[in-house]
Amino acid sequence: MCRFQSGYLHRHPLLADLDFYWRIEPDVEYYCDMNYDPFVFMQQNGLKYGWNVAIPEFMATIPTLWNTTVQFVAEHPKLLASDSLWPWLLDEHGNYNGCHFWSNFEIVDLSFYRSAAYQTFFDYLDRAGGFFYERWGDAPVHSIAAALFLNASQVHYFDDIGYFHPSVLTCPQDARTKGTCVCDSNKSFVQDGICTVRFLE
């Protein structure tokens, strides 16, 4: 599944005539009224990747993903965006911090996944074998790619959408007083997580 989501979903014939996609999974809940079209919002603002939850990955599942990424960057430095989110991926010692956008919620301009840069990156990872011999998830793969190949201004945090996926709840701050959401922001922990905080810095 992770390999398919990383490298083949955007090539599926059912998506051939689509410009954007929103990943919606079973057993998820959305808690807020939406008075705008997120696809139109992304298109009008030149956004390529939209996310709602950012958390650290279980590093034991991807022990060689970062070293493989560093090797890729060394071989393809011209593919990196001029104002990338590369620093967001690093801790204070310059090591990979595991931060990733949870791909259970992602809204994406498919031209990003169809780009030469993304496809070159996926093919490089695929040849390395980590999808099979480790558990390279589509969330860290998508996130690292977004951090490398997109400018920071092209990545958007949909902090106004209340979202629940089993084990994770994110709810906009002051949601109940604003009257547009039915979730309790006091029970939401994602916004205060290190990965979200670092993105907003």
Side-chain angles (χ1 to χ4, degrees), residues 169-176 183-189 191:
L169 166 67
T170 178
C171 183
Q173 296 298 317
D174 302 320
R176 292 199 169 186
C183 52
D184 185 351
S185 56
N186 292 323
K187 296 181 180 179
S188 176
F189 68 90
Q191 292 95 327

Side-chain angles (χ1 to χ4, degrees), residues 17-28:
D17 62 344
L18 299 181
D19 295 324
F20 290 86
Y21 101 111
W22 184 347
R23 182 166 167 178
I24 298 177
E25 298 199 337
D27 300 319
V28 300

Side-chain angles (χ1 to χ4, degrees), residues 45-58:
N45 290 280
L47 302 170
K48 298 293 184 182
Y49 191 92
W51 61 279
N52 180 263
V53 173
I55 55 178
E57 180 60 289
F58 295 107

Side-chain angles (χ1 to χ4, degrees), residues 29-49:
E29 298 179 29
Y30 291 84
Y31 292 120
C32 301
D33 294 335
M34 295 192 65
N35 58 5
Y36 67 97
D37 184 325
F39 299 117
V40 173
F41 174 80
M42 290 189 66
Q43 186 177 50
Q44 291 179 341
N45 290 280
L47 302 170
K48 298 293 184 182
Y49 191 92

Side-chain angles (χ1 to χ4, degrees), residues 1-3 5-6 23 57 61-62 65 100 103 118 125 130-131 134-144:
M1 180 194 79
C2 294
R3 181 172 179 264
Q5 294 280 5
S6 296
R23 182 166 167 178
E57 180 60 289
T61 65
I62 54 168
L65 176 58
H100 68 285
S103 57
Y118 183 88
L125 296 182
F131 291 109
E134 298 176 16
R135 189 202 170 277
W136 290 0
D138 50 281
V141 170
H142 287 174
S143 303
I144 291 172

Side-chain angles (χ1 to χ4, degrees), residues 4 14 42 47 80 83 107 111 115 129-130 134-135 162 181 194:
F4 174 78
L14 289 176
M42 290 189 66
L47 302 170
L80 272 64
D83 182 30
I107 305 176
S111 67
S115 68
E134 298 176 16
R135 189 202 170 277
C181 302
I194 185 62

